[in-house]
Amino acid sequence: MSSSPLLPDAPEPQAPPAAPPYAGPETTAAPAPAPAPVDPAARPLDATAAPAPVDPAARPLDATAAHSATAALSLRGLVKSFDGTEVVHGVSLDVPRGSFYGLVGPNGAGKTTTLSMATGLLRPDAGTAQVLGVDMWAEPERAKAQLGVLADGLRTFDRLTARELLTYVGLIRGMDAAVVDQRIGSLLEALGLADQEGKLVVDYSAGMTKKILLACALIHAPRLLVLDEPLEAVDPVSGEVIRTILRRFVAGGGTVILSSHVMALVEELCSHVAVIADGQVLAAGSLDEVRGGGSLQQRFVDMVGGADVAEGSLSWLDA
């Protein structure tokens, strides 16, 4: 709208009057011309204007998509079948950045299959996985550069020493050799393996093996760690070392996803948790939300079921 330079701007009238017919030149100042029609699509938004139609293809991210883009790991509709049998049924999950996230479920629940699809080890039949906003299957190199994985039962080059194995992992990730060497020293010292670096990994104990595999997952300084049963068969001393390193990683801004059968461990470490059974998510959220004022163990049993033993079924064990 036009305005006189000597007057403050006034609100635009709802229905501007029609301009009077032309009456020839005047000696006094002419009235301000009527405003030209305004294109509603280009008009500044005011309090009463109705919103212009939005093209769905061009609209900004909705709440779900925005959450996915800011999550450390975002899964949408993951499906996987083996030999014609579907074992993961449309799993969707958002892991907040900076969280220590527990994934719990009974044996055969689909936890390992879900994590394998999330980390690029297993291609899903349907669905998507994003690591820090990067699609795992559209841009796998970018996604995996931000990701460290300790997969349960995954074979490694165990006929190498700890230093040789870590050197191989660092170099294959494109790291500078001097940086790799410096980080190997730091990792072996922190994990209590400095005095064992000349020993072949195949000769390591279960606890030592977990620690060297964790070092492999950490050497490139990822922002997301995905750990499948990282403390299984680990002695108390090695377990405490691993806990300390993981807590420090999260305190420094990283995100940890930990799969475990041990509810006490998840309650001790995790800020968030998801319960998976029969290939689907039964509950997910903060630890307090999921356990609902009770213990995670009892909440898990209530959701999953199958804990009852029929009376008299083992009566032959009675003395």
Side-chain angles (χ1 to χ4, degrees):
M1 171 178 176
S2 301
S3 62
S4 167
L6 301 179
L7 297 175
D9 289 334
E12 184 180 344
Q14 296 298 314
Y22 179 72
E26 297 180 10
T27 56
T28 57
V38 178
D39 177 6
R43 180 177 186 175
L45 185 65
D46 62 39
T48 60
V54 179
D55 177 7
R59 72 185 297 178
L61 290 172
D62 61 20
T64 300
H67 192 188
S68 300
T70 59
L73 179 69
S74 180
L75 310 179
R76 287 291 177 273
L78 287 183
V79 174
K80 188 64 184 177
S81 297
F82 295 106
D83 298 324
T85 300
E86 190 173 281
V87 296
V88 175
H89 316 295
V91 167
S92 295
L93 202 62
D94 283 310
V95 176
R97 297 192 191 201
S99 64
F100 206 133
Y101 204 101
L103 196 64
V104 300
N107 292 326
K111 302 187 305 299
T112 296
T113 301
T114 297
L115 291 181
S116 295
M117 290 189 285
T119 56
L121 295 173
L122 185 66
R123 184 176 290 275
D125 298 334
T128 61
Q130 290 190 350
V131 175
L132 297 162
V134 180
D135 191 292
M136 172 56 70
W137 294 100
E139 301 179 88
E141 290 187 8
R142 279 189 63 207
K144 291 178 182 180
Q146 306 180 81
L147 181 65
V149 180
L150 194 167
D152 187 41
L154 190 67
R155 293 293 302 274
T156 189
F157 297 107
D158 55 8
R159 292 287 174 177
L160 301 177
T161 65
R163 180 168 291 275
E164 290 169 341
L165 178 59
L166 289 170
T167 299
Y168 169 78
V169 171
L171 294 181
I172 204 171
R173 283 191 173 273
M175 296 172 61
D176 180 83
V179 174
V180 172
D181 189 61
Q182 184 272 325
R183 289 186 182 177
I184 288 173
S186 298
L187 285 166
L188 293 178
E189 185 66 34
L191 288 163
L193 295 173
D195 59 344
Q196 302 287 333
E197 68 171 88
K199 190 176 184 178
L200 295 181
V201 173
V202 71
D203 296 324
Y204 276 13
S205 67
M208 292 168 64
T209 300
K210 291 285 188 181
K211 289 192 289 186
I212 195 61
L213 293 179
L214 178 60
C216 290
L218 287 169
I219 193 166
H220 61 296
R223 290 296 79 208
L224 172 63
L225 276 178
V226 179
L227 313 175
D228 194 1
E229 299 288 354
L231 295 168
E232 188 176 37
V234 172
D235 66 84
V237 174
S238 296
E240 192 54 40
V241 170
I242 292 173
R243 286 180 178 85
T244 299
I245 289 173
L246 296 182
R247 288 191 185 102
R248 187 178 302 171
F249 179 80
V250 172
T255 305
V256 171
I257 300 172
L258 178 148
S259 169
S260 179
H261 294 104
V262 183
M263 301 300 145
L265 173 68
V266 173
E267 285 191 289
E268 175 194 347
L269 291 175
C270 296
S271 59
H272 294 71
V273 65
V275 179
I276 292 184
D278 296 323
Q280 51 195 331
V281 178
L282 301 185
S286 71
L287 179 63
D288 288 339
E289 289 170 344
V290 172
R291 64 185 175 182
S295 71
L296 183 60
Q297 174 85 18
Q298 188 56 53
R299 180 67 175 142
F300 176 83
V301 171
D302 291 343
M303 283 189 284
V304 173
D308 296 333
V309 178
E311 186 176 353
S313 62
L314 296 177
S315 58
W316 50 270
L317 286 175
D318 297 339

Short mmCIF file of all heavy atoms in Angstrom, two decimals, residues 154-162 164-166 168-169 172 200-202 212-213 216:
data_model
loop_
_atom_site.label_atom_id
_atom_site.label_comp_id
_atom_site.label_asym_id
_atom_site.label_seq_id
_atom_site.Cartn_x
_atom_site.Cartn_y
_atom_site.Cartn_z
N LEU A 154 30.12 -61.48 14.87
CA LEU A 154 30.69 -61.14 13.56
C LEU A 154 32.16 -61.54 13.52
O LEU A 154 32.94 -61.21 14.42
CB LEU A 154 30.54 -59.65 13.29
CG LEU A 154 30.86 -59.17 11.88
CD1 LEU A 154 29.84 -59.72 10.88
CD2 LEU A 154 30.87 -57.64 11.82
N ARG A 155 32.55 -62.25 12.48
CA ARG A 155 33.94 -62.69 12.35
C ARG A 155 34.87 -61.51 12.11
O ARG A 155 34.51 -60.53 11.47
CB ARG A 155 34.07 -63.69 11.20
CG ARG A 155 33.37 -65.01 11.42
CD ARG A 155 34.02 -65.81 12.54
NE ARG A 155 35.41 -66.08 12.29
CZ ARG A 155 35.86 -67.13 11.59
NH1 ARG A 155 35.01 -68.00 11.07
NH2 ARG A 155 37.15 -67.32 11.42
N THR A 156 36.10 -61.63 12.65
CA THR A 156 37.09 -60.60 12.42
C THR A 156 38.41 -61.26 12.05
O THR A 156 38.52 -62.49 12.03
CB THR A 156 37.25 -59.73 13.68
OG1 THR A 156 38.09 -58.61 13.36
CG2 THR A 156 37.88 -60.52 14.83
N PHE A 157 39.40 -60.45 11.73
CA PHE A 157 40.71 -60.98 11.37
C PHE A 157 41.49 -61.27 12.65
O PHE A 157 42.36 -60.49 13.06
CB PHE A 157 41.45 -59.99 10.47
CG PHE A 157 40.75 -59.74 9.16
CD1 PHE A 157 40.08 -58.56 8.92
CD2 PHE A 157 40.75 -60.71 8.16
CE1 PHE A 157 39.44 -58.34 7.71
CE2 PHE A 157 40.11 -60.50 6.95
CZ PHE A 157 39.44 -59.32 6.73
N ASP A 158 41.18 -62.40 13.27
CA ASP A 158 41.74 -62.66 14.60
C ASP A 158 43.14 -63.28 14.56
O ASP A 158 43.70 -63.56 15.62
CB ASP A 158 40.79 -63.52 15.42
CG ASP A 158 40.41 -64.83 14.73
OD1 ASP A 158 41.02 -65.15 13.68
OD2 ASP A 158 39.51 -65.53 15.25
N ARG A 159 43.70 -63.48 13.36
CA ARG A 159 45.09 -63.95 13.28
C ARG A 159 46.06 -62.77 13.20
O ARG A 159 47.22 -62.93 12.81
CB ARG A 159 45.27 -64.85 12.06
CG ARG A 159 44.53 -66.18 12.18
CD ARG A 159 45.20 -67.11 13.17
NE ARG A 159 44.42 -68.32 13.42
CZ ARG A 159 44.83 -69.31 14.19
NH1 ARG A 159 45.99 -69.21 14.82
NH2 ARG A 159 44.08 -70.38 14.39
N LEU A 160 45.56 -61.61 13.58
CA LEU A 160 46.40 -60.41 13.67
C LEU A 160 46.57 -60.04 15.14
O LEU A 160 45.76 -60.43 15.99
CB LEU A 160 45.74 -59.23 12.94
CG LEU A 160 45.45 -59.41 11.45
CD1 LEU A 160 44.72 -58.18 10.92
CD2 LEU A 160 46.73 -59.65 10.67
N THR A 161 47.61 -59.29 15.44
CA THR A 161 47.74 -58.74 16.79
C THR A 161 46.77 -57.56 16.94
O THR A 161 46.19 -57.08 15.95
CB THR A 161 49.16 -58.23 17.05
OG1 THR A 161 49.42 -57.12 16.18
CG2 THR A 161 50.19 -59.32 16.80
N ALA A 162 46.60 -57.09 18.16
CA ALA A 162 45.71 -55.96 18.40
C ALA A 162 46.13 -54.74 17.58
O ALA A 162 45.31 -54.08 16.94
CB ALA A 162 45.70 -55.61 19.89
N GLU A 164 47.96 -54.67 14.84
CA GLU A 164 47.76 -54.92 13.41
C GLU A 164 46.29 -54.79 13.01
O GLU A 164 45.96 -54.21 11.97
CB GLU A 164 48.28 -56.32 13.05
CG GLU A 164 49.79 -56.45 13.10
CD GLU A 164 50.26 -57.90 13.01
OE1 GLU A 164 49.44 -58.82 13.27
OE2 GLU A 164 51.46 -58.11 12.70
N LEU A 165 45.41 -55.33 13.85
CA LEU A 165 43.98 -55.26 13.55
C LEU A 165 43.49 -53.81 13.55
O LEU A 165 42.77 -53.39 12.63
CB LEU A 165 43.19 -56.08 14.57
CG LEU A 165 41.67 -56.07 14.41
CD1 LEU A 165 41.26 -56.60 13.05
CD2 LEU A 165 41.00 -56.87 15.53
N LEU A 166 43.88 -53.04 14.55
CA LEU A 166 43.45 -51.65 14.62
C LEU A 166 44.05 -50.81 13.49
O LEU A 166 43.39 -49.91 12.96
CB LEU A 166 43.82 -51.05 15.98
CG LEU A 166 43.01 -51.57 17.16
CD1 LEU A 166 43.62 -51.10 18.48
CD2 LEU A 166 41.56 -51.14 17.06
N TYR A 168 44.76 -51.94 10.49
CA TYR A 168 43.98 -52.31 9.31
C TYR A 168 42.64 -51.57 9.29
O TYR A 168 42.24 -50.98 8.27
CB TYR A 168 43.75 -53.82 9.30
CG TYR A 168 42.73 -54.28 8.28
CD1 TYR A 168 43.07 -54.38 6.93
CD2 TYR A 168 41.44 -54.60 8.67
CE1 TYR A 168 42.13 -54.79 5.99
CE2 TYR A 168 40.50 -55.02 7.74
CZ TYR A 168 40.84 -55.11 6.40
OH TYR A 168 39.92 -55.50 5.48
N VAL A 169 41.93 -51.57 10.42
CA VAL A 169 40.61 -50.93 10.48
C VAL A 169 40.74 -49.42 10.23
O VAL A 169 39.94 -48.83 9.49
CB VAL A 169 39.95 -51.20 11.85
CG1 VAL A 169 38.68 -50.36 12.01
CG2 VAL A 169 39.62 -52.68 11.99
N ILE A 172 41.70 -48.75 6.44
CA ILE A 172 40.63 -49.06 5.48
C ILE A 172 39.52 -48.00 5.54
O ILE A 172 38.76 -47.83 4.59
CB ILE A 172 40.08 -50.48 5.72
CG1 ILE A 172 39.45 -51.00 4.42
CG2 ILE A 172 39.06 -50.49 6.85
CD1 ILE A 172 39.08 -52.46 4.47
N LEU A 200 48.13 -62.47 19.48
CA LEU A 200 47.11 -62.63 18.45
C LEU A 200 45.72 -62.55 19.08
O LEU A 200 45.47 -63.08 20.15
CB LEU A 200 47.27 -63.97 17.75
CG LEU A 200 48.54 -64.19 16.92
CD1 LEU A 200 48.52 -65.58 16.28
CD2 LEU A 200 48.72 -63.11 15.86
N VAL A 201 44.80 -61.88 18.37
CA VAL A 201 43.45 -61.70 18.87
C VAL A 201 42.75 -63.05 19.08
O VAL A 201 41.94 -63.20 19.99
CB VAL A 201 42.64 -60.81 17.90
CG1 VAL A 201 41.17 -60.73 18.31
CG2 VAL A 201 43.25 -59.40 17.86
N VAL A 202 43.08 -64.05 18.28
CA VAL A 202 42.46 -65.37 18.42
C VAL A 202 42.74 -65.98 19.80
O VAL A 202 41.98 -66.82 20.27
CB VAL A 202 42.92 -66.31 17.29
CG1 VAL A 202 44.39 -66.71 17.47
CG2 VAL A 202 42.04 -67.55 17.20
N ILE A 212 38.79 -55.29 22.28
CA ILE A 212 39.49 -54.94 21.05
C ILE A 212 38.49 -54.64 19.93
O ILE A 212 38.71 -53.77 19.08
CB ILE A 212 40.49 -56.04 20.62
CG1 ILE A 212 41.46 -55.50 19.56
CG2 ILE A 212 39.79 -57.28 20.10
CD1 ILE A 212 42.31 -54.35 20.00
N LEU A 213 37.34 -55.32 19.95
CA LEU A 213 36.30 -55.02 18.95
C LEU A 213 35.68 -53.66 19.21
O LEU A 213 35.31 -52.94 18.27
CB LEU A 213 35.23 -56.12 18.94
CG LEU A 213 35.71 -57.49 18.46
CD1 LEU A 213 34.56 -58.50 18.52
CD2 LEU A 213 36.27 -57.42 17.05
N CYS A 216 38.00 -51.20 17.74
CA CYS A 216 37.81 -51.12 16.28
C CYS A 216 36.63 -50.21 15.94
O CYS A 216 36.65 -49.49 14.94
CB CYS A 216 37.57 -52.51 15.70
SG CYS A 216 39.00 -53.60 15.71
#
